Amino acid sequence: NAGVTQTPKFQVLKTGQSMTLQCAQDMNHEYMSWYRQDPGMGLRLIHYSVGAGITDQGEVPNGYNVSRSTTEDFPLRLLSAAPSQTSVYFCASSYSRRVGDTQYFGPGTRLTVL
Amino acid sequence: AQKITQTQPGMFVQEKEAVTLDCTYDTSDQSYGLFWYKQPSSGEMIFLIYQGSYDEQNATEGRYSLNFQKARKSANLVISASQLGDSAMYFCAMREVTQGGSEKLVFGKGTKLTVNP
């Protein structure tokens, strides 16, 4: 049981490039989400999904796309990278969207956009 | 308006002593969940403890306990018998589901705890 896995761990992009951050979980969790962590800002929700085929926007969705074709995978796509997207990205999952369900986090991806 | 407030950017504690990390929250919902996460220097987010809004007892998990005062809207984390490995950032978070069905886990800005030998 690997929990929540993320790849890559580190990535450097040039402005305008696109890329996909991968996230997978093997706990059969329905709910998955993406956060970004910036210094002094805590974590902010980018997008989330309550099940395969269902996604919705969080607090800071601009510049990012997501899809959920399977229960296990929830990739985050940066369409045209900007320096403002330099951040640490965390994927998280929980059994459901109930308020009492704990979200478990992946190890994070540190992204730098030059 | 800030949903989760952690007023202590940094805290210091001597090894083996207890420490309280403050967290206040703001919500009009009756049903919500409160969580504490630990983030060591290695960067991962580690779940520590959970308190539900309807739970009458304060949550405890080993050396961690949550001092939940619903009327004051506070959910302070108490770490007993601090260890050097407790040095980390600590985040308070609240999970709520809005009437529109959107999901939110809102984080505070964190408190950096340093345990001195």
Side-chain angles (χ1 to χ4, degrees), chain A residues 31 35 37 96-97 101 103, chain B residues 37 39 50 95 101 103 105:
Chain A
Y31 182 88
Y35 296 86
Q37 183 178 27
S96 77
R97 66 190 304 179
D101 282 347
Q103 289 198 35
Chain B
Y37 288 87
Q39 186 176 42
Y50 160 77
R95 188 167 191 177
E103 167 69 34
L105 181 62

Side-chain angles (χ1 to χ4, degrees), chain B residues 12-37:
Chain B
F12 294 87
V13 66
Q14 288 297 122
E15 195 177 6
K16 299 181 185 176
E17 292 185 350
V19 63
T20 297
L21 306 185
D22 294 341
C23 173
T24 57
Y25 60 93
D26 180 26
T27 183
S28 56
D29 287 353
Q30 296 301 309
S31 178
Y32 51 89
L34 296 158
F35 301 83
W36 278 91
Y37 288 87

Side-chain angles (χ1 to χ4, degrees), chain B residues 71-104:
Chain B
R72 291 187 169 190
K73 294 188 175 179
S74 75
N76 299 338
L77 177 70
V78 180
I79 305 175
S80 63
S82 297
Q83 301 172 356
L84 296 178
D86 293 334
S87 293
M89 284 289 288
Y90 288 81
F91 291 94
C92 179
M94 177 174 64
R95 188 167 191 177
E96 56 182 6
V97 178
T98 67
Q99 277 191 335
S102 64
E103 167 69 34
K104 284 188 177 184

Side-chain angles (χ1 to χ4, degrees), chain A:
Chain A
N1 195 335
V4 182
T5 58
Q6 291 183 238
T7 55
K9 282 189 168 26
F10 301 93
Q11 183 70 49
V12 179
L13 292 178
K14 294 182 179 178
T15 297
Q17 287 184 315
S18 62
M19 79 158 295
T20 299
L21 307 185
Q22 301 292 343
C23 174
Q25 53 87 13
D26 61 359
M27 299 175 281
N28 201 30
H29 283 175
E30 287 297 319
Y31 182 88
M32 296 185 73
S33 53
W34 277 101
Y35 296 86
R36 59 177 289 172
Q37 183 178 27
D38 302 299
M41 300 288 291
L43 279 80
R44 293 181 293 170
L45 182 65
I46 305 172
H47 284 286
Y48 66 94
S49 168
V50 299
I54 307 169
T55 63
D56 206 346
Q57 296 181 350
E59 183 184 355
V60 287
N62 292 340
Y64 308 95
N65 271 359
V66 292
S67 61
R68 184 98 179 268
S69 55
T70 67
T71 299
E72 294 78 19
D73 300 300
F74 191 44
L76 177 72
R77 279 183 289 278
L78 280 70
L79 308 172
S80 177
S84 61
Q85 293 178 305
T86 293
S87 188
V88 180
Y89 291 84
F90 287 98
C91 179
S93 75
S94 63
Y95 181 72
S96 77
R97 66 190 304 179
R98 290 187 307 119
V99 292
D101 282 347
T102 299
Q103 289 198 35
Y104 296 95
F105 285 78
T109 294
R110 187 174 294 272
L111 175 68
T112 302
V113 182
L114 302 175

